[in-house]
Amino acid sequence: MNILGLSEFQKMFQGALTNLGNKKEIVNKLNVFPVPDGDTGSNMFLTLKTAVDEAKKRNPKDLKEFGKAICEGALIGGRGNSGVLLSQILKGFFDSIDGKEEITIPEFAEALTEGSKTAYKAVIKPVEGTILTVMNAIAKKAMLLRFEENDFVHLLEELYKESEIVLKRTPELLPVLKEAGVVDSGGQGLVFIVEGMLKGLKGELTFEKTFEEEIEEMDKATLGRKLEFKYDTVLLSSAKDLDPVKLQEELSKFGDSIVVAKAGNLTKIHIHSNEPYEVMRYIMQFGDLKEARIENMQEEQEEFLQKNNEEIVQGIKKPFCIIAVSQGEGFDKIFLSLGVDFIVSGGQTMNPSINDIYSAIQKCKKDEVVILPNNSNIILAAKEAAKLTKNKKVVVLESKNMVQAVPVILSFNPEETFEENINRAKEILKEIHSFAITYSVRDTTFKGLNVKKGDILGAMDGEIIIKGQDPDKVLLELLRMNKEMVKDYEVMGIYYGKNVKKEHAEEIAKKIEEMFPDLEVDVTYGGQPFYYYLVSLE
Amino acid sequence: MGKIIVTKNAIAKLATLSAMECYGVVGLVPTTFTGKVLSLLGKAELTKAATVKINNKKVIIDIYVVLQSGIKVSEVANTIVSQVEYKIKKLTGIKDLEVNVIVVGVKREV
């Protein structure tokens, strides 16, 4: 392929949009410059989406119209620094090929150069190590290859490779990035756009999810949860002038999982509701129905539950929102099943940023929020995030590890007030004892204990007390040392880590039960790194 | 304990510098006579394009800018506000801050 026409451009932009849409969270997470607000990915995606939507809406008949639609869409939809910048790149690009029906490789390379130049023009002091640098490199590479290459797919492959190489260099150019240990977020967004264009052109990522794919995904998401709406309804309406966006809003009063899509002259509507007849009546006032399919999801739901044989714990209905910091897939699951609304991943050696926590707070729909930082190093960040929040009441419960959080969450009582819950939780935190078995990552001395790298360490309530060579022996020894205290408790929860086998954990639980006949020992998979065992006493 | 004093002049300078880094800002409008002379000489970086007022401990900054045409003015202005706010809060520790952007002109493309 050595010529690009309208249909190729449409494929490339759709590919770019889909790819960026899939990966925008990655971009958001990288966002530290200029303001670390974690929205670069979303901004770029929304800008590109307005542009592509505009191009679809106008149904352009040639490349000129397409380019005009993209540029105007990007201008209107431009969001944030990176979005506005993207709109300038697109403007420069399409201005350069204005009036052409098809473009050749050299023309494409020149258009990229124009795009890059236009982008640089709109800022007094261009900062290198950003999306600008990546764009510039792409344009330069294209200019370099323009007479050698005769295939667009291959050219885009080369440009994609080049963009990745330059992206990796951005921390060297911009110190803020290096400090944070990330590559530039806008640059990463641009790399995803190029990747998406390449995939789109190759036909790998041509279209957005189809209506069927989208409803399948929604139906799947409903499985296993408590059924709030029973009837899965798909309607095919031949009514004219149905506005999908407006319809989607209007339908939300009947149920959820709403998808509305235009298919030629027909409008497809998917919704989960308890009153399918009301939905039909509503839709029919606009025109005739061509088809209707209503399915009761109850049966499917029960089948699913049996098959999975997993008790789906419905988290307690509570008047406030719980956020927990978690590390390890086992703990993620435990927390979610207990009714934690949002999980912020992080923990030992991987502390989440204030912004990670802050954005979780913002996602909460309720006015009162409890945060369980689950690590002494994260408590401060959680408190800062709480301070930043103006629109909600946020309380940080100072849980020092994940096992402490479990009984706290279990203690929440929806019947009581927020304050009562918080006060009880604080009491519980004081009473819980926890043990942790981990290993040392370096040689050190700790309160008279000479520790070598690789030694197994046993800690109680965050204080390292003993060392040894074998995790099991250290845990047993630790319990033996605190025998008198352990005796006063009824339940012990052992959460075994990523690198411990289930059988192994159960074996040690048996030994502990022999040691303390009155103690009830629960073994659960925590999946946490670094810690062999996290143990709680309640 | 001693005191830390950040002058209005310094804040204005900081605001100008961070506005300059914003995408879409192509010019600054000097607020002082010296600034006007400097900008005539093409030394945009030395210009001070912001005025600072302090009202009941609240710091109010007005920044005068010229934007690139063919760009969404409202979005760029919003970016300037958040970027300047962030920088000043981070560097000086001032908490109560109001940033106003005055778009004085739009530069035609060449």
Side-chain angles (χ1 to χ4, degrees):
Chain A
M1 197 190 302
N2 56 8
I3 275 178
L4 290 185
L6 174 62
S7 73
E8 284 81 19
F9 267 102
Q10 283 169 330
K11 279 187 206 160
M12 281 162 66
F13 274 88
Q14 186 58 58
L17 183 66
T18 312
N19 199 42
L20 190 59
N22 290 342
K23 296 179 175 173
K24 61 176 187 288
E25 283 308 316
I26 304 178
V27 179
N28 282 344
K29 282 201 179 131
L30 295 172
N31 185 193
V32 294
F33 177 85
V35 180
D37 43 10
D39 61 0
T40 304
S42 306
N43 283 342
M44 287 180 86
F45 172 72
L46 287 171
T47 305
L48 194 61
K49 184 163 167 31
T50 328
V52 174
D53 282 352
E54 191 67 26
K56 274 189 209 156
K57 208 163 73 189
R58 294 195 196 171
N59 201 6
K61 58 180 194 302
D62 55 29
L63 191 52
K64 185 185 170 75
E65 281 181 12
F66 177 79
K68 201 165 173 249
I70 289 279
C71 290
E72 289 179 11
L75 172 64
I76 308 162
R79 296 217 337 186
N81 253 329
S82 47
V84 175
L85 203 154
L86 187 63
S87 78
Q88 286 302 101
I89 295 178
L90 292 171
K91 186 170 185 299
F93 182 90
F94 282 107
D95 277 355
S96 158
I97 57 167
D98 194 21
K100 295 197 171 87
E101 271 312 298
E102 291 170 332
I103 61 165
T104 59
I105 287 179
E107 281 166 345
F108 182 72
E110 272 153 36
L112 286 177
T113 312
E114 273 314 306
S116 167
K117 270 193 203 159
T118 313
Y120 269 92
K121 250 186 243 164
V123 59
I124 308 177
K125 227 174 83 182
V127 182
E128 290 300 339
T130 61
I131 179 171
L132 283 171
T133 317
V134 178
M135 185 59 213
N136 188 22
I138 292 173
K140 277 197 175 135
K141 187 80 179 178
M143 287 306 267
L144 202 69
L145 296 172
R146 69 180 191 265
F147 297 123
E148 295 167 22
E149 284 292 343
N150 50 22
D151 179 31
F152 264 108
V153 173
H154 193 252
L155 175 71
L156 278 179
E157 270 165 6
E158 288 299 316
L159 297 183
Y160 172 50
K161 265 187 235 160
E162 175 75 9
S163 67
E164 282 212 304
I165 296 170
V166 177
L167 178 68
K168 283 200 189 105
R169 278 211 308 264
T170 53
E172 302 302 321
L173 296 166
L174 193 58
V176 198
L177 301 176
K178 197 166 189 176
E179 261 171 50
V182 294
V183 293
D184 180 59
S185 55
Q188 178 71 71
L190 189 59
V191 171
F192 287 150
I193 290 178
V194 177
E195 186 192 17
M197 287 189 162
L198 169 64
K199 285 186 176 166
L201 192 59
K202 282 204 275 189
E204 289 170 14
L205 254 187
T206 356
F207 295 101
E208 281 177 278
K209 277 181 227 144
T210 61
F211 180 73
E212 281 71 24
E213 280 168 341
E214 204 167 329
I215 64 174
E216 195 180 321
E217 208 169 86
M218 288 220 170
D219 289 347
K220 235 187 230 161
T222 321
L223 276 179
R225 271 200 251 150
K226 190 172 164 281
L227 270 189
E228 199 176 336
F229 297 106
K230 227 155 98 180
Y231 294 101
D232 183 1
T233 312
V234 177
L235 302 176
L236 214 53
S237 164
S238 46
K240 284 180 193 117
D241 315 319
L242 275 178
D243 179 3
V245 182
K246 222 177 130 199
L247 196 58
Q248 185 134 15
E249 267 178 38
E250 290 291 319
L251 284 173
S252 60
K253 63 178 177 225
F254 298 113
D256 65 3
S257 304
I258 301 160
V259 185
V260 180
K262 282 251 178 204
N265 293 324
L266 298 172
T267 308
K268 292 182 182 178
I269 298 139
H270 169 269
I271 183 171
H272 293 169
S273 80
N274 286 328
E275 296 158 325
Y277 43 89
E278 291 293 342
V279 180
M280 282 166 78
R281 186 184 316 204
Y282 178 78
I283 299 292
M284 280 173 78
Q285 52 173 331
F286 301 108
D288 283 341
L289 280 186
K290 189 161 181 290
E291 238 180 80
R293 182 175 64 80
I294 300 168
E295 214 180 303
N296 189 335
M297 293 185 288
Q298 194 79 43
E299 223 167 276
E300 200 186 350
Q301 178 81 358
E302 277 160 15
E303 246 171 59
F304 176 84
L305 286 181
Q306 263 175 4
K307 221 181 352 191
N308 282 268
N309 205 13
E310 217 179 54
E311 199 186 341
I312 307 272
V313 187
Q314 262 290 303
I316 48 163
K317 265 216 159 112
K318 49 210 173 326
F320 50 86
C321 209
I322 307 175
I323 298 173
V325 179
S326 163
Q327 195 172 29
E329 31 166 357
F331 272 107
D332 289 355
K333 255 195 206 154
I334 295 168
F335 284 143
L336 286 175
S337 69
L338 288 177
V340 167
D341 299 86
F342 294 101
I343 293 219
V344 177
S345 52
Q348 205 60 22
T349 73
M350 208 189 81
N351 294 345
S353 69
I354 295 172
N355 193 47
D356 290 342
I357 301 171
Y358 180 71
S359 43
I361 298 175
Q362 289 309 323
K363 276 190 221 149
C364 290
K365 294 222 174 73
K366 296 177 184 123
D367 293 334
E368 287 161 336
V369 181
V370 177
I371 305 179
L372 292 155
N374 296 340
N375 188 310
S376 39
N377 294 333
I378 301 172
I379 293 175
L380 255 181
K383 283 191 171 161
E384 281 300 314
K387 244 190 253 164
L388 277 175
T389 311
K390 299 274 181 283
N391 51 351
K392 294 186 178 86
K393 188 168 171 190
V394 185
V395 172
V396 179
L397 288 172
E398 304 189 8
S399 56
K400 296 201 178 67
N401 58 45
M402 292 181 284
V403 295
Q404 290 192 335
V406 176
V408 168
I409 299 169
L410 285 172
S411 79
F412 287 140
N413 179 353
E415 305 287 310
E416 289 174 22
T417 65
F418 188 59
E419 281 71 27
E420 282 166 342
N421 273 308
I422 295 301
N423 288 336
R424 195 179 42 245
K426 281 183 181 159
E427 286 303 310
I428 291 174
L429 274 180
K430 269 185 224 154
E431 283 165 21
I432 305 172
H433 285 290
S434 64
F435 300 103
I437 309 297
T438 182
Y439 55 86
S440 173
V441 289
R442 61 192 153 91
D443 296 352
T444 180
T445 314
F446 202 88
K447 289 199 177 159
L449 213 58
N450 270 317
V451 178
K452 293 223 164 45
K453 189 179 165 185
D455 275 355
I456 306 295
L457 303 174
M460 182 180 148
D461 298 335
E463 292 269 336
I464 294 168
I465 300 182
I466 55 167
K467 64 164 186 173
Q469 298 305 323
D470 178 74
D472 296 0
K473 279 183 194 150
V474 172
L475 177 57
L476 291 175
E477 179 62 29
L478 198 57
L479 294 177
R480 205 167 288 139
M481 283 164 68
N482 296 290
K483 211 167 182 170
E484 290 310 309
M485 186 197 90
V486 177
K487 268 187 186 159
D488 292 342
Y489 286 83
E490 292 161 9
V491 186
M492 174 182 278
I494 300 182
Y495 301 84
Y496 59 98
K498 214 173 169 179
N499 302 320
V500 178
K501 288 213 176 69
K502 190 180 174 194
E503 298 78 40
H504 203 88
E506 278 166 358
E507 228 169 81
I508 191 164
K510 253 187 218 157
K511 281 184 196 158
I512 296 172
E513 275 176 339
E514 278 164 25
M515 228 160 108
F516 305 97
D518 292 336
L519 199 65
E520 191 191 322
V521 184
D522 283 337
V523 180
T524 318
Y525 176 59
Q528 71 274 18
F530 310 112
Y531 294 99
Y532 298 99
Y533 301 109
L534 285 168
V535 178
S536 70
L537 272 180
E538 295 154 38
Chain B
M1 234 174 73
K3 255 189 199 157
I4 300 173
I5 296 166
V6 182
T7 63
K8 286 184 187 173
N9 189 31
I11 296 173
K13 200 67 207 271
L14 271 177
T16 311
L17 284 171
S18 36
M20 210 155 63
E21 286 177 358
C22 287
Y23 193 78
V25 177
V26 290
L28 296 157
V29 185
T31 49
T32 58
F33 177 72
T34 340
K36 280 175 189 147
V37 176
L38 283 170
S39 83
L40 276 179
L41 296 170
K43 306 214 165 173
E45 288 200 29
L46 301 171
T47 314
K48 203 172 70 189
T51 58
V52 176
K53 278 176 286 192
I54 298 172
N55 192 354
N56 277 336
K57 290 197 174 172
K58 184 181 197 146
V59 178
I60 302 164
I61 305 175
D62 294 342
I63 305 173
Y64 298 82
V65 293
V66 177
L67 305 186
Q68 176 79 350
S69 81
I71 236 172
K72 198 172 173 189
V73 172
S74 60
E75 198 54 35
V76 175
N78 276 329
T79 321
I80 299 172
V81 172
S82 70
Q83 219 154 301
V84 169
E85 238 182 53
Y86 171 76
K87 271 271 168 72
I88 294 200
K89 279 185 182 168
K90 188 178 151 198
L91 296 176
T92 64
I94 294 170
K95 286 196 186 78
D96 204 359
L97 195 62
E98 179 184 315
V99 177
N100 302 307
V101 173
I102 297 104
V103 181
V104 181
V106 171
K107 191 176 142 200
R108 272 255 294 271
E109 288 157 84
V110 201

